[in-house]
DNA sequence: GGTCGGATTTGATCTAGATCAATTGAAGAT
DNA sequence: ATCTTCAATTGATCTAGATCAAATCCGACC
């Protein structure tokens, strides 16, 4: 599957593998599409493999399908979902939903493990990806318990603003405000209020999902 | 180092490795001791290697040394600390402190990677350990944002009560109540109140750090 | 363009859990 | 045994952020 190979080459996980290894992974993988709102997998479901996102946006949720749920991560092109579950051969502990029409590559455990046995670099790469995930989650836990809502908002805005055209160029929130709010452990109402506090300050300007950081220094300050 | 080998054989991480591989790891590792209150490593410090706990108890903290901090995990014999950091060759994102006099084995990155190159089973084992860590952190994030303080306390008590003599046999909290409170994202005061609510119910009995689950069914109920 | 349903904002109110302040208790040190 | 010190409890009070309830606003579709 030349198509899947081309897609996997863009993956943050596999990018650094030799082309032959990527081809091998791609050969055992399946390209798939999900429309906005469709579920990739549910919490507790059997894990079909590793999902690599090639376009679109995926939300990872925790919490019962019925009842309240929380977004733990938003995954864009190049990202992946379900790594911990494939490695363990366990059921998913999160649910994944397409927030926009999305294209993905599904790599079954079997393919991944076969390739891992043949290609020396693969396992260290998987371990590194998992380690990054661990660090990310630790930093979330730290932020949720040590920082205020306002601080979390400030930090998040800086995070998404910095990589892109850092100065004055508006950045676009990767999802609806309610989703971002949940990602930051806030209610939509409170998130809205925090944003409007920052607008009142003159720290940022907001136009729909477009956010312009007017005063990065002040934003950095209130990030604590 | 026959001593280190004997210690590593008990490790949850390496247990399943063939004895030769363990010997190899042990040969490049160092046994060390830390007195109660001593710090193993600080947040942001350079990672010396993987710490395997052989006796005692270690707390993993996040947050500035000065200022408030939060316990993200408690590690007992057989457990390990610093895995994500060694794998990435990055600095620690948490601090580790000995809560009691502890014995550890320190395995430098070099040793781990050398052994990983020679022993096929090692990398998958490390990846599995990291995956378990990811799942644990996700479940913590979920609990912190979806469950009430009381629910978290109930869940924790069941968790530590179940493996041990599950019925009526008292279990001992692995650390001071203030530490457990922080681990559950509660203030010591509020943790104390929750415990006393459960005592008033007749659900549990408390004697210092000894806790007896009198009514597991009811406890399971209020765990949500 | 107009219409409809979900997203966002705004306002009013409430509460889980934090904070502050003593008091009591218990494990080590002398 | 007594003292000292830190941990745990108890009580009173406060607040960040949640919840409930309306307005608006906006984008997709006809």
């Amino acid at each position: 599957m030349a198509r899947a190979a081309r897609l996997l080459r863009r993956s943050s996980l596999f990018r650094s593998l030799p082309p032959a290894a990527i081809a091998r992974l791609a050969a055992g993988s399946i390209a798939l599409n999900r429309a906005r709102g469709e579920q990739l997998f549910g919490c507790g479901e059997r894990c079909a493999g590793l999902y690599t996102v090639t376009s679109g946006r995926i939300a990872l949720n925790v919490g019962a399908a019925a009842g309240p749920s929380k977004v733990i991560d938003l995954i864009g092109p190049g990202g992946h979902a379900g790594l911990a579950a494939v490695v363990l051969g366990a059921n998913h502990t999160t649910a994944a939903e397409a927030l926009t029409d999305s294209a993905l590559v599904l790599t079954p455990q079997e393919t991944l493990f076969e390739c891992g046995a043949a290609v020396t670099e693969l396992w260290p790469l998987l371990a590194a990806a998992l380690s990054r995930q661990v660090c990310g989650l630790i930093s979330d836990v730290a932020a949720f318990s040590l920082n205020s809502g306002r601080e979390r908002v400030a930090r998040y805005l800086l995070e998404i603003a910095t990589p892109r055209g850092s100065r004055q160029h508006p950045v676009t929130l990767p999802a609806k405000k309610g989703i971002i709010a949940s990602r930051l452990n806030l209610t939509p109402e409170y998130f809205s209020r925090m944003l409007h506090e920052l607008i009142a300050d003159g720290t940022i300007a907001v136009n729909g999902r477009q956010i312009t950081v007017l005063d990065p220094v002040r934003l950095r300050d209130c990030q604590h």
Side-chain angles (χ1 to χ4, degrees), chain A:
Chain A
M1 283 217 181
R3 176 166 176 61
R6 205 168 54 249
L7 297 172
L8 284 184
R9 201 163 304 127
R10 295 252 152 70
S11 147
S12 68
L13 226 175
F14 300 126
R15 213 195 325 258
S16 67
L17 283 179
I22 294 191
R24 188 189 189 114
L25 281 168
S29 299
I30 305 146
L32 33 98
N33 294 290
R34 286 287 178 275
R36 177 157 64 90
E38 267 189 280
Q39 176 160 290
L40 267 166
F41 51 79
C43 187
E45 260 177 37
R46 141 142 212 58
C47 168
L50 174 70
Y51 293 84
T52 302
V53 180
T54 62
S55 78
R57 197 154 304 267
I58 305 294
L60 243 48
N61 297 291
V62 283
S69 91
K70 192 222 170 284
V71 175
I72 52 161
D73 213 357
L74 294 171
I75 303 168
H80 50 85
L83 180 53
V86 230
V87 167
L88 292 174
N91 292 345
H92 289 286
T93 55
T94 60
E97 185 195 329
L99 295 178
T100 65
D101 295 350
S102 302
L104 307 121
V105 176
L106 173 61
T107 310
Q109 192 197 49
E110 199 194 350
T111 303
L112 204 61
F113 281 18
E114 261 173 37
C115 187
V119 179
T120 335
E121 303 93 314
L122 185 57
W123 276 109
L125 233 45
L126 299 181
L130 287 161
S131 298
R132 257 176 265 117
Q133 231 179 306
V134 166
C135 291
L137 283 163
I138 286 175
S139 121
D140 280 349
V141 170
F144 296 157
S145 45
L146 262 25
N147 299 126
S148 69
R150 163 189 270 254
E151 285 164 354
R152 262 136 55 204
V153 171
R155 176 135 86 100
Y156 183 73
L157 293 181
L158 280 170
E159 209 175 290
I160 61 169
T162 312
R164 293 233 139 260
S166 42
R167 276 255 154 199
Q168 300 297 54
H169 291 224
V171 270
T172 307
L173 293 178
K176 284 180 285 200
K177 287 183 183 164
I179 301 282
I180 308 288
S182 172
R183 167 76 249 249
L184 297 175
N185 241 0
L186 298 169
T187 57
E189 292 95 327
Y190 198 64
F191 178 56
S192 173
R193 286 184 236 266
M194 290 303 106
L195 239 32
H196 284 262
E197 268 184 37
L198 293 170
I199 295 172
D201 276 9
T203 311
I204 61 171
V206 176
N207 178 12
R209 253 180 236 179
Q210 301 268 98
I211 298 196
T212 312
V213 178
L214 300 173
D215 189 344
V217 177
R218 193 200 302 237
L219 197 56
R220 204 154 294 128
D221 279 354
C222 69
Q223 174 207 188
H224 188 158

